[in-house]
Amino acid sequence: MNTDARVTFHSPYTAVTPAMAKPSPGVGSDYRIAFLDAASKPFDGSKTYKVTMPPNPPGANFWAFTLYDTQTRSMLQTDQPLPSIDSIQNDPKLNDNGSIDVFFALEAPEGWESNWVQTIPGKSWFTILRMYGPEEEWLNGDYVPGEITLVEYFRQHDLRFGHPVNFDLRRVGVTGRSRQDGGLDVSAEFMMAIPILVWSLRPAFECPTPFLLASFRG
């Protein structure tokens, strides 16, 4: 028995329905809970995070993200009517490939207001992704949402191509990794970050050439 999972589940919940205890395709709802970001750090209400849902989330009814206060386990109290986003009421914008980017931040990234849930500076949070009428692809684990990643971008209009620059300046550097022959390996992250840095500065120099972007995390 996974006792850690049971304790974790009963922290935000006080009851379990039959459909939650024994999931069946197309019936009830099924949950995924995230307490930490992709770097295994608690969520910070003053920062911006992004999660990408692959195309065609397998819910017969709808899906929804909701944010909760880690201290009270109640819904996060924000300026929004509800601290959540769902596939019906919000009508989130799709990427060209049909995937869906959802942002958790103090302010909505420009152009992504319908894909945004507000957070509060100085307040941590956790989120629950609910799939209502979960289909087999969700229940058997074939459909996997992306990890929730910290987003740091230089300017709002860096979102013009549909994706923010997932790039943390504090993590760029020559990370000395000694080899047996006495040499030093320069981190691949540092080398691959160079074109992203150049791309991010492109608007300042009115350079029209876009660069291929990549997301990095340790």
Side-chain angles (χ1 to χ4, degrees), residues 10 16 31 33-34 45 56 60-61 69 75-76 86 102-103 110 150 160 168 210 213:
H10 284 285
V16 178
Y31 301 177
I33 309 175
N56 304 313
N61 299 320
D69 189 320
M75 289 186 182
L76 200 64
D86 68 61
V102 176
F103 294 89
E110 185 177 353
L150 178 66
R160 70 182 72 180
D168 190 340
L213 299 185

Side-chain angles (χ1 to χ4, degrees), residues 1-4 6:
M1 179 184 295
N2 188 340
T3 55
D4 288 341
R6 290 173 68 91

Side-chain angles (χ1 to χ4, degrees), residues 175-187:
T175 58
R177 187 171 62 242
S178 298
R179 301 196 306 259
Q180 290 184 352
D181 62 4
L184 183 69
D185 288 334
V186 177
S187 70

Side-chain angles (χ1 to χ4, degrees), residues 30-31 36 52 69 71 93 103 124 149 152-153 171 183 193:
D30 197 73
Y31 301 177
L36 303 173
T52 299
D69 189 320
Q71 293 180 309
K93 181 170 65 174
F103 294 89
S124 185
T149 59
E152 295 193 14
Y153 47 87
R171 294 174 56 220

Side-chain angles (χ1 to χ4, degrees), residues 8-78:
T8 298
F9 182 86
H10 284 285
S11 173
Y13 301 107
T14 56
V16 178
T17 67
M20 292 169 66
K22 188 178 180 181
S24 298
V27 177
S29 59
D30 197 73
Y31 301 177
R32 299 290 187 271
I33 309 175
F35 294 96
L36 303 173
D37 68 10
S40 298
K41 296 181 179 180
F43 297 112
D44 184 338
S46 65
K47 297 180 179 180
T48 298
Y49 298 86
K50 185 190 78 169
V51 61
T52 299
M53 299 276 287
N56 304 313
N61 299 320
F62 66 98
W63 57 264
F65 276 102
T66 305
L67 299 192
Y68 294 86
D69 189 320
T70 55
Q71 293 180 309
T72 67
R73 73 182 182 181
S74 297
M75 289 186 182
L76 200 64
Q77 301 298 304
T78 70

Side-chain angles (χ1 to χ4, degrees), residues 63-160:
W63 57 264
F65 276 102
T66 305
L67 299 192
Y68 294 86
D69 189 320
T70 55
Q71 293 180 309
T72 67
R73 73 182 182 181
S74 297
M75 289 186 182
L76 200 64
Q77 301 298 304
T78 70
D79 296 331
Q80 292 179 308
L82 291 173
S84 64
I85 178 176
D86 68 61
S87 55
I88 296 178
Q89 298 184 82
N90 299 91
D91 190 24
K93 181 170 65 174
L94 304 182
N95 296 318
D96 291 341
N97 65 354
S99 64
I100 307 161
D101 291 336
V102 176
F103 294 89
F104 309 104
L106 173 61
E107 298 178 349
E110 185 177 353
W112 295 88
E113 290 79 6
S114 63
N115 295 46
W116 164 68
V117 186
Q118 189 177 29
T119 59
I120 303 173
K123 177 72 69 174
S124 185
W125 51 271
F126 67 93
T127 187
I128 298 174
L129 169 59
R130 292 177 170 87
M131 195 66 63
Y132 291 90
E135 298 172 349
E136 188 65 34
E137 186 181 2
W138 172 268
L139 296 175
N140 64 20
D142 287 343
Y143 182 92
V144 180
E147 294 187 89
I148 302 178
T149 59
L150 178 66
V151 174
E152 295 193 14
Y153 47 87
F154 294 88
R155 298 178 176 84
Q156 287 281 7
H157 60 254
D158 283 338
L159 293 167
R160 70 182 72 180

